[in-house]
């Protein structure tokens, strides 16, 4: 049995034992003293309730923060993928440094444990796959940039650009998966949906957060 489960069993067993003793004391004692165990019992229950509510509130706050950070990170990644550096060269290919995709909020959501409900299993699966894809993409960019900047050979740079923008390449996969992940969050998590599309003020139009359009992914 897990340590947390043992603590929970011990705590509630102690409370139940105290309740039984209080009931027995109530019937065995006489006068005002018979109510003393009840007073202590209510104090114990109040303290236990406060601890449980505090832990629940902390968990909900951590969950809310993790979801908001994910929405913001995906929005920023969509902006990064829309960077002109990711547009194929129209002139002679030249060595360039590509902006890297962000993955810190995804790492935090997977390691901190804020998304621990049973309904989060599918989201966690998607986040694991997304983290692996982003890390692989960033690593490939780093190695290829180093090679292109060191050699400076236009033929090698053109070859890399063709590989980067091919229909079955990593860039196409990232541009396909990111909108799907954004849509999944907006559809299944109210917090993410609220931060995905915010009111533009009292009575004003709704302002949509920047996202990577599917048309951009399809045109790559």
């Amino acid at each position: 049995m897990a340590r947390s489960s043992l603590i929970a069993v011990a705590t509630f067993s102690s409370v139940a034992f105290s309740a039984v003793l209080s009931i027995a004391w109530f019937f065995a004692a006489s006068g005002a003293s018979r109510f003393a165990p009840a007073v202590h019992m209510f104090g114990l229950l109040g303290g236990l309730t406060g601890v449980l509510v505090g832990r629940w509130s902390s968990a909900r706050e951590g969950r809310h923060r993790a979801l908001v950070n994910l929405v913001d990170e995906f929005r920023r990644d969509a902006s990064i993928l829309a960077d002109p550096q990711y547009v194929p060269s129209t002139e002679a290919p030249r060595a360039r440094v590509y902006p890297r995709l962000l993955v810190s909020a995804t790492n935090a959501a997977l390691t901190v444990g804020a998304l621990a409900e049973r309904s989060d299993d599918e989201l966690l699966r998607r986040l694991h796959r997304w983290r692996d894809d982003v890390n692989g993409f960033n690593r490939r960019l780093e190695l290829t940039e180093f090679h292109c900047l060191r050699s400076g050979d236009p033929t090698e740079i053109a070859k890399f650009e063709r590989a980067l923008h091919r229909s079955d390449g990593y860039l196409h996969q990232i541009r396909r998966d990111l909108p799907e992940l954004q849509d999944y969050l907006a559809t299944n998590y109210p917090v993410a949906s609220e931060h995905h599309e915010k009111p533009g003020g009292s009575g004003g139009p709704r302002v949509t957060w920047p996202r990577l359009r599917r048309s951009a992914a399809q045109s790559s």
Side-chain angles (χ1 to χ4, degrees), residues 1-15 48 51-52 55:
M1 184 181 295
R3 181 178 298 179
S4 59
S5 299
L6 288 175
I7 293 174
V9 169
T11 300
F12 287 104
S13 296
S14 299
V15 172
L48 180 61
V51 171
L52 294 177
R55 292 186 61 181

Side-chain angles (χ1 to χ4, degrees), residues 75-193:
R75 175 184 61 85
R76 295 165 66 188
D77 279 341
S79 298
I80 290 173
L81 290 173
D83 189 280
Q85 291 287 69
Y86 284 105
V87 177
S89 300
T90 56
E91 301 175 352
R94 57 180 178 79
R96 63 178 81 182
V97 176
Y98 293 87
R100 300 298 193 267
L101 295 180
L102 307 175
V103 76
S104 58
T106 302
N107 279 329
L110 292 173
T111 57
V112 173
L115 303 175
E117 297 182 4
R118 183 171 300 178
S119 59
D120 298 329
D121 290 346
E122 175 62 18
L123 175 60
L124 292 175
R125 185 186 67 80
R126 290 171 180 256
L127 291 178
H128 274 289
R129 186 178 64 184
W130 172 253
R131 181 178 63 177
D132 292 342
D133 289 345
V134 170
N135 286 336
F137 179 72
N138 287 341
R139 181 60 176 166
R140 282 169 171 79
L141 283 181
E142 179 181 347
L143 294 175
T144 308
E145 281 175 4
F146 177 77
H147 175 74
C148 291
L149 290 171
R150 185 179 64 175
S151 68
D153 185 355
T155 303
E156 290 292 327
I157 298 173
K159 181 180 178 181
F160 164 66
E161 283 202 0
R162 288 194 300 270
L164 178 65
H165 293 283
R166 68 188 185 189
S167 59
D168 60 343
Y170 255 76
L171 180 59
H172 180 82
Q173 178 181 341
I174 290 288
R175 282 177 164 165
R176 180 196 63 201
D177 292 345
L178 180 55
E180 293 179 358
L181 193 51
Q182 289 178 299
D183 288 342
Y184 182 84
L185 271 178
T187 301
N188 296 279
Y189 292 85
V191 172
S193 179

Side-chain angles (χ1 to χ4, degrees), residues 34-93:
R34 67 192 306 182
F35 297 104
V39 173
H40 293 296
M41 187 64 189
F42 281 117
L44 177 62
L45 289 176
L48 180 61
T49 301
V51 171
L52 294 177
V53 170
R55 292 186 61 181
W56 180 84
S57 299
S58 177
R60 300 307 296 179
E61 181 182 353
R63 178 182 178 83
H64 179 276
R65 184 167 56 249
L67 290 171
V68 170
N69 289 341
L70 283 174
V71 172
D72 181 63
E73 180 169 274
F74 296 155
R75 175 184 61 85
R76 295 165 66 188
D77 279 341
S79 298
I80 290 173
L81 290 173
D83 189 280
Q85 291 287 69
Y86 284 105
V87 177
S89 300
T90 56
E91 301 175 352

